[in-house]
Amino acid sequence: MEKIFVVSLGCPKNLADTEKILFEHFKNYLIVTNPEEADVFFINTCSFILPAKEESIDTIFEFVEYKKKFPDKRVIVSGCLLEQYGGELEKEIPEAEFLSNKGIFLTQGRVITTRAFSYLKIAEGCSRKCAFCTIPLFKGTHKSRELNDILSEAKEMEGSVQELIIVSQDTSFYGMDSYKTPKLYDLLSYLSDMDFPWIRVMYFYPENLTDSILDLIASRPNICNYIDIPFQHLSDPILKKMKRWGSYEQYKNIVSNIRSRIPESSIRTSFIVGFPGETQKDYETLLGGLDEFQFNRVGFFSYSDEPETASFRLEGKVEEEEKEKRISQASFIQEEISEEILKGRIGKIYKVLEEGYDPEKEAFYGRTEFEAPEIDGLVYFQSDKKTENNFKNILITDSDQHNLSGREV
């Protein structure tokens, strides 16, 4: 049996594609964790912003160099970088083979590479016109999968996956293209009737987060009380330049509505810092919003000036040093907020999905429903027995800016 070493770069949506590519093209291969053992190196690339492109290219060349020493090994490249620069890549890197993944999200079957959780991709592309984003340029407009196809794929994972994570570029837009009406409510209703202890929804667009969706999340015990809703900024002038829907007041009302309908919930958002024309006043509006909105988790990203985007042509570019300074200050403020929020969980018992053991901390670790994998904090805890990929009740005894600590009860 031939062996394959897999590198999936970028977002969870890419990982979902990787698992489908493995099933479609490499299901008879043995996945190995040591590249020296592999006959094939498979790289699923990301090209969202310049650092992602650089990481993808560096990774390809890393394995091309390995192939020069061992000519019989194959380097196979797929993903967003190929979709965006296919002909150029083939010309510049003749040592590699290139495999298109267009339409792969529509196929059935996958090789699950994660353990306790798995991503379920419900759409491809995006119909928004955000000024900073390249995704619609090479992924195209939003294309929803058929509802029954998604449910069939979920059925295959039912009973073996503890946490099902719903992903797409714009999850709340699901169904608006093919069904001409929002279908996320129907999809989540069907999925929550299946045997998944946790269902997590990622990437809500603010405009389409409806009361009915929030009420469904609140009423279904296996849908995590976790709202991932990237606002991207809080200054009205910057939101307008970004071509984003909404305003400070509208976002304030959304946050208030979430907390009213789901009192014990975790709200994660993300912000782009240093967008062209971002003044000190715009930046201070963002900082003020952090204090007023009290988000549970926030990701801050430095604006990346991509030549293909509308924002590339805007004036008022912010210097890199200034962007780094602003991100550092915003991160510090948010860490203090997160620390205070996490302190409020001390003394409470939570259902935790155990994911492993950290020998340095001499503790098991996992997550509550309020933490998404790989981007949020962890719960470190003491227990008498290992039950990886299963749930335990943990009494929280301590916290810091990111993580919780406790013991099994």
Side-chain angles (χ1 to χ4, degrees), residues 357-363:
Y357 182 81
D358 187 330
E360 290 187 6
K361 293 182 179 292
E362 297 183 338

Side-chain angles (χ1 to χ4, degrees), residues 76-101:
I76 301 178
V77 177
S78 189
C80 299
L81 194 71
L82 177 60
E83 291 183 52
Q84 201 168 3
Y85 304 104
E88 188 177 340
L89 282 177
E90 293 177 26
K91 180 181 177 181
E92 295 295 327
I93 315 177
E95 301 90 342
E97 302 169 45
F98 297 91
L99 177 64
S100 173
N101 68 352

Side-chain angles (χ1 to χ4, degrees), residues 91-154:
K91 180 181 177 181
E92 295 295 327
I93 315 177
E95 301 90 342
E97 302 169 45
F98 297 91
L99 177 64
S100 173
N101 68 352
K102 283 191 175 181
I104 195 71
F105 79 104
L106 294 170
T107 62
Q108 296 287 349
R110 64 198 298 168
V111 175
I112 296 179
T113 57
T114 52
R115 291 185 177 184
F117 63 91
S118 187
Y119 296 104
L120 180 60
K121 189 173 180 180
I122 64 172
E124 182 70 286
C126 185
S127 295
R128 307 288 177 182
K129 305 293 184 183
C130 300
F132 53 81
C133 188
T134 61
I135 288 170
L137 303 177
F138 61 89
K139 290 288 189 181
T141 56
H142 183 102
K143 295 173 283 291
S144 299
R145 293 178 62 189
E146 290 294 323
L147 181 62
N148 287 336
D149 287 347
I150 297 172
L151 296 177
S152 295
E153 184 174 341

Side-chain angles (χ1 to χ4, degrees), residues 108-201:
Q108 296 287 349
R110 64 198 298 168
V111 175
I112 296 179
T113 57
T114 52
R115 291 185 177 184
F117 63 91
S118 187
Y119 296 104
L120 180 60
K121 189 173 180 180
I122 64 172
E124 182 70 286
C126 185
S127 295
R128 307 288 177 182
K129 305 293 184 183
C130 300
F132 53 81
C133 188
T134 61
I135 288 170
L137 303 177
F138 61 89
K139 290 288 189 181
T141 56
H142 183 102
K143 295 173 283 291
S144 299
R145 293 178 62 189
E146 290 294 323
L147 181 62
N148 287 336
D149 287 347
I150 297 172
L151 296 177
S152 295
E153 184 174 341
K155 191 71 178 175
E156 294 176 5
M157 294 185 279
E158 189 178 18
S160 62
V161 172
Q162 300 283 31
E163 180 180 6
L164 187 69
I165 307 176
I166 311 303
V167 296
S168 72
Q169 297 297 338
D170 183 356
T171 302
S172 43
F173 196 80
Y174 173 71
M176 295 284 284
D177 55 328
S178 54
Y179 295 101
K180 309 304 179 187
T181 186
K183 281 289 184 180
L184 183 61
Y185 182 95
D186 296 341
L187 175 61
L188 291 179
S189 296
Y190 287 125
L191 290 174
S192 59
D193 285 335
M194 299 171 71
D195 185 19
F196 293 107
W198 281 354
I199 297 170
R200 188 180 305 277
V201 187

Side-chain angles (χ1 to χ4, degrees), residues 77-355:
V77 177
S78 189
C80 299
L81 194 71
L82 177 60
E83 291 183 52
Q84 201 168 3
Y85 304 104
E88 188 177 340
L89 282 177
E90 293 177 26
K91 180 181 177 181
E92 295 295 327
I93 315 177
E95 301 90 342
E97 302 169 45
F98 297 91
L99 177 64
S100 173
N101 68 352
K102 283 191 175 181
I104 195 71
F105 79 104
L106 294 170
T107 62
Q108 296 287 349
R110 64 198 298 168
V111 175
I112 296 179
T113 57
T114 52
R115 291 185 177 184
F117 63 91
S118 187
Y119 296 104
L120 180 60
K121 189 173 180 180
I122 64 172
E124 182 70 286
C126 185
S127 295
R128 307 288 177 182
K129 305 293 184 183
C130 300
F132 53 81
C133 188
T134 61
I135 288 170
L137 303 177
F138 61 89
K139 290 288 189 181
T141 56
H142 183 102
K143 295 173 283 291
S144 299
R145 293 178 62 189
E146 290 294 323
L147 181 62
N148 287 336
D149 287 347
I150 297 172
L151 296 177
S152 295
E153 184 174 341
K155 191 71 178 175
E156 294 176 5
M157 294 185 279
E158 189 178 18
S160 62
V161 172
Q162 300 283 31
E163 180 180 6
L164 187 69
I165 307 176
I166 311 303
V167 296
S168 72
Q169 297 297 338
D170 183 356
T171 302
S172 43
F173 196 80
Y174 173 71
M176 295 284 284
D177 55 328
S178 54
Y179 295 101
K180 309 304 179 187
T181 186
K183 281 289 184 180
L184 183 61
Y185 182 95
D186 296 341
L187 175 61
L188 291 179
S189 296
Y190 287 125
L191 290 174
S192 59
D193 285 335
M194 299 171 71
D195 185 19
F196 293 107
W198 281 354
I199 297 170
R200 188 180 305 277
V201 187
M202 305 293 288
Y203 313 117
F204 284 110
Y205 191 84
E207 184 181 13
N208 299 114
L209 182 57
T210 62
D211 291 350
S212 60
I213 290 291
L214 292 175
D215 292 343
L216 180 67
I217 293 172
S219 66
R220 298 294 176 105
N222 62 339
I223 303 181
C224 296
N225 290 347
Y226 182 93
I227 306 297
D228 175 46
I229 182 167
F231 287 130
Q232 307 301 6
H233 215 283
L234 295 176
S235 163
D236 291 359
I238 295 299
L239 287 167
K240 186 175 181 179
K241 287 183 179 181
M242 287 181 165
K243 300 183 180 179
R244 295 280 295 180
W245 175 90
S247 65
Y248 188 99
E249 285 302 314
Q250 286 173 304
Y251 292 172
K252 179 181 176 180
N253 291 336
I254 289 172
V255 171
S256 176
N257 192 39
I258 293 170
R259 296 212 163 107
S260 173
R261 292 177 181 274
I262 316 174
E264 190 173 6
S265 60
S266 179
I267 303 176
R268 161 173 271 277
T269 193
S270 58
F271 295 115
I272 295 173
V273 177
F275 189 82
E278 183 188 73
T279 64
Q280 185 65 27
K281 182 180 179 181
D282 295 321
Y283 175 64
E284 288 174 358
T285 298
L286 173 58
L287 297 185
L290 295 178
D291 184 59
E292 182 172 12
F293 295 0
Q294 294 285 297
F295 298 110
N296 298 76
R297 308 279 185 179
V298 178
F300 296 100
F301 299 92
S302 178
Y303 168 75
S304 180
D305 208 22
E306 301 299 315
E308 304 92 343
T309 63
S311 59
F312 185 77
R313 299 185 294 273
L314 294 177
E315 297 180 352
K317 300 293 170 64
V318 180
E319 295 291 333
E320 290 299 321
E321 184 178 350
E322 179 62 24
K323 285 192 280 188
E324 292 175 9
K325 177 183 174 183
R326 292 179 182 182
I327 285 181
S328 178
Q329 182 183 8
S331 298
F332 178 79
I333 291 171
Q334 179 57 40
E335 283 180 351
E336 290 189 321
I337 292 168
S338 296
E339 184 174 18
E340 286 302 310
I341 291 173
L342 290 177
K343 279 181 182 178
R345 294 168 68 178
I346 294 175
K348 298 179 180 179
I349 297 173
Y350 291 93
K351 181 180 176 181
V352 171
L353 178 56
E354 182 183 325
E355 294 182 302

